[in-house]
């Protein structure tokens, strides 16, 4: 039977202030479009986390919607290494934390 369960690949990133503007430009204009161009995600939502981090810097969450665990696995197998490597220019300046989420239900007010 056809599954309508959707998944979100959530990446939370804390980025140092020194590189923040350059990184923001890169993720919005290069990285997110690269992620979507894999064809494995239907949309992306980028949010700024409104919290004061002890470590300083800025924290963002990017949520990529995908149709199945299989599709997400294909992203890991086929694209993840290459796309993550493109962030190497920011090495040592950010921390990333990745979470897989399953959408249980969605409501509109």
């Amino acid at each position: 039977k056809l599954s309508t369960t959707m998944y979100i690949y959530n990446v939370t990133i804390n980025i140092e202030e020194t590189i923040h503007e350059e990184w923001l430009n890169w993720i919005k204009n290069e990285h997110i479009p690269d992620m979507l161009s894999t064809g494995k995600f239907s949309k992306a939502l980028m949010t700024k986390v409104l919290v004061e981090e002890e470590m300083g810097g800025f924290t963002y969450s990017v949520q990529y919607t995908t149709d199945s665990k299989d599709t997400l696995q294909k992203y890991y197998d086929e694209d993840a290494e290459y796309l993550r490597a493109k962030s190497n220019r920011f090495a040592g300046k950010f921390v990333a934390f990745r979470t897989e989420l399953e959408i249980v239900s969605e409501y509109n007010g």
Side-chain angles (χ1 to χ4, degrees):
K1 100 188 197 336
L2 205 62
S3 167
T4 53
T5 304
M6 300 287 282
Y7 295 86
I8 290 172
Y9 175 53
N10 179 77
V11 186
T12 304
I13 306 110
N14 176 270
I15 184 83
E16 284 185 12
E17 276 181 59
T18 56
I19 204 94
H20 174 243
E21 289 301 322
E22 185 188 336
W23 177 86
L24 201 56
N25 186 53
W26 171 79
I27 197 161
K28 293 199 293 193
N29 299 308
E30 188 178 322
H31 186 67
I32 292 173
D34 280 352
M35 290 287 286
L36 293 175
S37 74
T38 66
K40 296 175 175 83
F41 305 100
S42 56
K43 64 180 178 179
L45 175 71
M46 182 174 183
T47 61
K48 186 174 186 180
V49 181
L50 302 179
V51 62
E52 284 287 323
E53 293 286 359
E54 278 182 38
M55 66 177 97
F58 298 92
T59 301
Y60 292 88
S61 168
V62 188
Q63 300 193 339
Y64 301 95
T65 303
T66 187
D67 62 358
S68 71
K69 294 268 290 180
D70 285 347
T71 303
L72 189 52
Q73 189 57 51
K74 281 184 185 156
Y75 161 75
Y76 294 141
D77 295 342
E78 300 170 8
D79 310 290
E81 192 179 346
Y82 168 69
L83 289 178
R84 286 177 193 172
K86 292 179 82 175
S87 71
N88 282 348
R89 73 173 107 158
F90 306 110
K93 304 281 187 186
F94 74 97
V95 182
F97 179 74
R98 301 172 177 91
T99 320
E100 293 179 17
L101 309 173
E102 179 178 322
I103 298 174
V104 176
S105 53
E106 193 169 346
Y107 307 89
N108 292 299

